[in-house]
Amino acid sequence: KLVERLEAAVARLEALAAGGGISARGLPDSGGDDMSSDPSIVAFDDLMDQYAAKVSGAAEKIGGQVLDVSKLLLKAFSVEKKLLMEIKQTQKPDMAGLAEFLKPLNEVIMKVNSMAEARGSEFINHFKSAAESLSALAWIAYTGKDCGMSMPIAHVEESWQAAEFYNNKVLVEYKTKDPNHVEWAKALKELYLPGLRGYVKSHYPLGPVWNASGVKVSADPSKAPQSGAPAPPCPPPASHFTSEPSKASSSQPKQGMSAVFQELSSGNVTAGLRKVTDDMKAKNRTDRTGIVSTSEKQTSSTPSTTTPTVKKVAPPKLELQMGRKWAVENHIGNKNLVIDDCDAKQSVYVFGCKDSVLQIQGKVNNITLDKCTKMGVLFKDVVAAFEIVNCNGVEAQCQGSAPTISVDNTSGAQLYLSKDSLEAAITTAKSIDINVLVPGATSDAD
């Protein structure tokens, strides 16, 4: 114990010598004994030792780009630990101050996102798994029920659900090729579930606890919103954090109907209106007659071909109808769709969804995708059939068994089959670019 205390004291003196005892934010140095012995910080260290170490160990075996993205991922966790220590010394900031406070974490996450957006790498699913999962660290931005994001525990779970789609691809691809990649994928999941979820549940179920008597941290004065303006709501979790604070609505000129109502409320309603004189009235116009020519009649009766038509978009839907049919309709950009309370007598009908991911966590009778674009579906067991109709660029992964898979009038479909679904009868009609990925016959086979 004496040696540990001496080492802590030396670390403290080194930190003071390097940074003058003050961090870049103007906060007292957070590396002291009191802060490092805080129960929540000790628990975070346990989280890193128990779960993050497994990710690091598996990445070391793989090396290369997987090791690079793993190092960035663990760096993001280290930055979050530092932020948690600083929160205990900081007053709750406004929206602009919060964005500036979380900027170090956002910078690391953006580096991982840039790797996931790059093309041509054979480890793209590893990158996407890491990038999607890191959005779970945004739970630290939760400020209340009206901030625009889910509660911290739910946010962590939802973020991993988006990452699990790509993580499962890694498991399927390397199941018989390289056990190190399988180990990495499993360790990544454990880092969040139960790792981070359990930590947040135990210490911050209602969000981070700021210090009311702590140091006040705000954004750069040149970027801060105008004084007296109300603070905008918390940013949505999908975009993580932004270093540019939202400007107050009162400082922007009103447009559209807002400008009209502002003009009406001013009381000077008739100012600026043009007067209609007698010679402008239709009954007194000498250049107008009551005869309508044939060409004018045809022109007026023919609808304009240049007028754009506005397509009505129905509201999104995810509900169980009559206890038998799950309707998933009109979701756009929603990668957290989950159906977990289902049975073998129910069917799932997915219609009009785009750029979304659906997980079906149970056995169902039938699954149908209709008029979907860039849609991903992850399911376990199907009693009757899995059908894809009138779709474009969809991906489906079967983790259990599916006796029949049919693809009709579809352009671009990726079907990932498990060993239990290799006996499936696959039929296609009027479709192109259909790929079926199956486990290899041996551990060395593709």
Side-chain angles (χ1 to χ4, degrees), residues 37 153 269 309 409:
S37 61
I153 300 173
V269 180
T309 57
N409 194 27

Side-chain angles (χ1 to χ4, degrees), residues 162-229:
E164 191 169 23
F165 181 76
Y166 301 103
N167 199 60
N168 286 338
K169 286 187 176 182
V170 177
L171 291 173
V172 172
E173 181 180 358
Y174 291 93
K175 186 175 181 179
T176 57
K177 291 170 57 176
D178 191 338
N180 293 328
H181 291 266
V182 175
E183 180 185 350
W184 182 89
K186 292 181 178 179
L188 183 65
K189 181 176 181 178
E190 292 177 356
L191 177 61
Y192 294 94
L193 305 180
L196 183 61
R197 179 183 62 184
Y199 172 79
V200 174
K201 183 178 181 180
S202 299
H203 298 278
Y204 299 102
L206 302 178
V209 181
W210 301 84
N211 189 343
S213 59
V215 179
K216 186 175 182 180
V217 178
S218 60
D220 188 338
S222 63
K223 297 181 181 180
Q226 297 181 1
S227 59

